[in-house]
């Protein structure tokens, strides 16, 4: 592959982050928690709607937990990772678009569509993450992974800014009210996601050959391969220790992403202020994620992750003492500095640990661990809030995940891994 083709493939791959981040920002972190609490689950107590949202998020994660390793193994066997990416993306796009027609008070259909869209989103990440080994070498993992997250923050932030403008001034867009603007925002996410997914399918070559197995052979082979995965990983100490560390600390990251707006609502902060804080995260996150990739190349990938986890631990403690909206903005700004860095460098660090030819299978396990953690995190926050009535205690409970995950990460040495150069 020529240098120009290689750069085009890397950019095409990274632009998918630009595409799917619209769902992560406008839907998962932004409008869905607010709209669910105030429109679809209106009339229920705050604790009830928080628990409903937590259960829905946990259910989506549980499904991904069960499917991700198998689908990753099949993707490796069949060399049809792009097909898996297309099908998963299609499921999410359709489910997100369908939120447009869900009426007020219909919390169960809304939650069901959110669960389906989330399942597609996370399964798509299995195939997408594993394609990084097809677009660059190990020496470029940090840079390319950070580019993806950086574009994700920028793209997600731009569409979120448009969606916020629609909700603040619906009449300028020919919309009846804020509720209509939010519903149209969900539809815009579906269109955006579908449109900007095209480059990854056009420009990324996953190296299929004439001897590529059929889908049924790949399924049988994937199932057989998966039987040996647990045993093999248990024999690869650096991989399983990293996965345990990642399981813990990414739980904290995902929980804060999913529940931060709900947390702010429970403290009585206004919807506009909360969405503004989310926008702040997005636009700070773009240069910060790219900056973390630069830092990792010139310093050390694992040390850069440590830095991000330390900041997250401080943020969580800070959250317990929040009183004013300006403090929530400070929290959002600091999250923006480290969120993309922790995510992108975890992906690139793991890519160094895996054996050749096993990217889909191992990234299936990687995403499974992240989703298994996300089963516990939202439930932990939701149940703690329901039992104590205190959103402050629920957010503080996340602190232990960053501490434990960071400690386990100190036990990993990439130089000893099977995938090391």
């Amino acid at each position: 592959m020529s240098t120009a083709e290689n750069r085009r493939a890397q950019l095409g791959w990274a632009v998918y982050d630009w595409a799917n981040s619209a769902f992560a920002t406008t839907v998962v972190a932004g409008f869905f928690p607010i709209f669910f609490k105030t429109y679809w689950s209106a009339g229920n107590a705050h604790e009830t709607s928080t628990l409903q949202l937590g259960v829905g998020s946990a259910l989506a994660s549980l499904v991904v937990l069960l499917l991700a390793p198998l689908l990753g193994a099949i993707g490796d066997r069949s060399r049809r990772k792009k097909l898996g990416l297309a099908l998963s993306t299609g499921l999410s796009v359709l489910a997100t678009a369908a939120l447009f027609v869900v009426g007020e008070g219909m919390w169960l259909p809304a939650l069901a569509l959110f669960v389906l869209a989330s399942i597609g989103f996370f399964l798509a990440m299995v195939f997408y993450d594993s394609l990084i080994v097809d677009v660059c070498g190990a020496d470029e993992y940090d840079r390319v992974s950070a580019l993806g997250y950086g574009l994700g923050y920028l793209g997600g932030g731009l569409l979120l800014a448009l969606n916020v403008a629609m909700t603040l001034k619906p009449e300028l867009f020919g919309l009846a009210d804020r509720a209509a603007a939010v519903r149209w925002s969900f539809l815009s996410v579906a269109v955006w996601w579908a449109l900007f997914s095209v480059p990854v399918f056009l420009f990324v070559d996953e190296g299929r050959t004439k001897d590529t197995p059929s889908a049924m052979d790949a399924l049988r082979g994937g199932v057989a391969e998966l039987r040996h995965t647990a045993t093999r990983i248990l024999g690869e100490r650096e991989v399983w220790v990293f996965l345990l560390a990642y399981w813990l600390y990414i739980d904290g990251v995902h929980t804060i992403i999913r529940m931060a707006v709900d947390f702010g609502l429970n403290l009585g902060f206004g919807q506009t202020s909360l969405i503004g804080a989310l926008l702040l995260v997005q636009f700070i996150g773009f240069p910060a994620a790219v900056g973390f990739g630069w830092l990792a190349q010139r310093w050390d990938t694992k040390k850069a992750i440590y830095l991000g986890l330390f900041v997250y631990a401080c943020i969580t403690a800070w959250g317990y003492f929040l009183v004013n909206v300006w403090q929530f903005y400070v929290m959002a700004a600091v999250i923006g500095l480290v969120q993309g860095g922790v995510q992108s460098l975890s992906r690139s660090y793991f890519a160094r640990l895996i054996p050749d030819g096993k990217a889909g299978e191992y990234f299936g396990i990687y995403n499974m661990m992240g989703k298994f953690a996300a089963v516990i995190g939202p439930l932990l926050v939701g149940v703690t809030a329901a039992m104590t009535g205190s959103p402050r205690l629920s957010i503080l409970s996340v602190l232990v995940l960053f501490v434990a995950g960071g400690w386990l990460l100190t036990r990993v040495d990439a130089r000893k891994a099977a995938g090391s150069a």
Side-chain angles (χ1 to χ4, degrees):
M1 184 182 293
S2 69
T3 300
E5 290 174 335
N6 192 48
R7 294 297 184 189
R8 185 173 63 179
Q10 292 174 5
L11 183 59
W13 179 85
V15 166
Y16 186 81
D17 250 317
W18 169 290
N20 76 346
S21 290
F23 177 79
T25 53
T26 291
V27 181
V28 176
F31 287 176
F32 189 86
I34 293 175
F35 210 54
F36 184 79
K37 187 178 289 287
T38 61
Y39 186 78
W40 286 316
S41 191
N44 290 320
H46 287 317
E47 294 81 7
T48 300
S49 59
T50 296
L51 183 59
Q52 290 169 339
L53 186 60
V55 169
S57 296
L59 178 60
S61 298
L62 183 61
V63 173
V64 175
L65 162 70
L66 298 174
L67 292 181
L70 176 60
L71 293 180
I74 293 172
D76 280 336
R77 285 271 177 167
S78 67
R79 292 188 283 278
R80 290 182 175 89
K81 289 179 282 190
K82 290 203 298 184
L83 176 60
L85 180 61
L87 294 175
S88 301
T89 299
L91 172 63
S92 287
V93 166
L94 292 175
T96 302
L99 288 171
F100 176 79
V101 301
V102 180
E104 186 174 3
M106 300 174 65
W107 70 267
L108 187 56
L111 192 61
L113 288 171
F114 176 71
V115 167
L116 286 175
S118 297
I119 289 171
F121 173 82
F122 290 121
L123 289 180
M125 292 303 295
V126 174
F127 301 107
Y128 170 63
D129 286 346
S130 66
L131 282 169
I132 192 173
V133 302
D134 294 296
V135 299
C136 65
D139 60 326
E140 294 186 296
Y141 285 162
D142 290 328
R143 180 187 63 81
V144 175
S145 183
L147 175 63
Y149 270 101
L151 287 177
Y153 278 108
L154 183 59
L158 288 173
L159 184 61
L160 179 61
L162 174 63
N163 295 150
V164 169
M166 290 165 59
T167 60
L168 293 178
K169 297 289 185 181
E171 65 278 1
L172 293 181
F173 296 86
L175 302 173
D177 51 31
R178 286 193 173 188
V182 172
R183 290 167 57 218
W184 276 100
S185 294
F186 292 142
L187 191 59
S188 73
V189 168
V191 174
W192 177 283
W193 196 348
L195 178 63
F196 289 108
S197 294
V198 172
V200 72
F201 300 110
L202 289 181
F203 302 134
V204 174
D205 180 9
E206 58 181 307
R208 293 187 64 190
T209 61
K210 292 181 179 180
D211 63 347
T212 296
S214 67
M216 186 55 64
D217 288 341
L219 175 60
R220 285 193 291 264
V223 172
E225 186 72 23
L226 194 57
R227 293 191 186 117
H228 303 292
T229 298
T231 301
R232 184 166 56 244
I233 286 180
L234 287 175
E236 297 173 359
R237 181 188 178 279
E238 309 310 316
V239 174
W240 68 257
V241 174
F242 174 81
L243 287 172
L244 285 177
Y246 176 75
W247 172 32
L248 291 169
Y249 71 70
I250 208 66
D251 172 85
V253 173
H254 287 169
T255 300
I256 288 178
I257 291 172
R258 294 184 182 198
M259 307 302 287
V261 169
D262 184 86
F263 172 64
L265 287 172
N266 289 339
L267 292 181
F269 299 155
Q271 297 178 21
T272 302
S273 297
L274 296 176
I275 295 299
L278 184 59
L279 275 171
L280 186 63
V281 171
Q282 295 305 119
F283 289 112
I284 291 178
F286 166 59
V290 175
F292 259 84
W294 177 89
L295 180 65
Q297 287 187 313
R298 286 156 180 78
W299 187 27
D300 180 81
T301 303
K302 195 162 70 165
K303 290 179 181 178
I305 297 174
Y306 290 148
L307 174 62
L309 296 182
F310 174 75
V311 172
Y312 258 115
C314 294
I315 289 169
T316 305
W318 169 265
Y320 180 81
F321 298 100
L322 285 184
V323 176
N324 301 313
V325 172
W326 71 265
Q327 294 172 313
F328 194 85
Y329 272 94
V330 171
M331 182 178 179
V334 178
I335 287 174
L337 289 173
V338 297
Q339 181 171 283
V342 170
Q343 292 173 310
S344 69
L345 296 185
S346 295
R347 177 169 64 188
S348 61
Y349 191 77
F350 184 68
R352 292 184 172 86
L353 304 180
I354 61 179
D356 292 340
K358 301 294 182 182
E361 178 184 345
Y362 274 62
F363 269 108
I365 300 294
Y366 174 84
N367 281 278
M368 181 194 76
M369 297 303 290
K371 302 301 120 23
F372 182 51
V375 172
I376 298 171
L379 283 177
L380 177 64
V381 171
V383 170
T384 302
M387 291 180 63
T388 67
S390 171
R392 300 180 188 280
L393 288 176
S394 67
I395 201 69
L396 191 62
S397 66
V398 179
L399 178 61
V400 67
L401 301 173
F402 295 119
V403 175
W407 178 81
L408 274 175
L409 187 60
T410 66
R411 320 307 298 172
V412 180
D413 186 351
R415 294 170 297 181
K416 300 178 180 179
S420 62

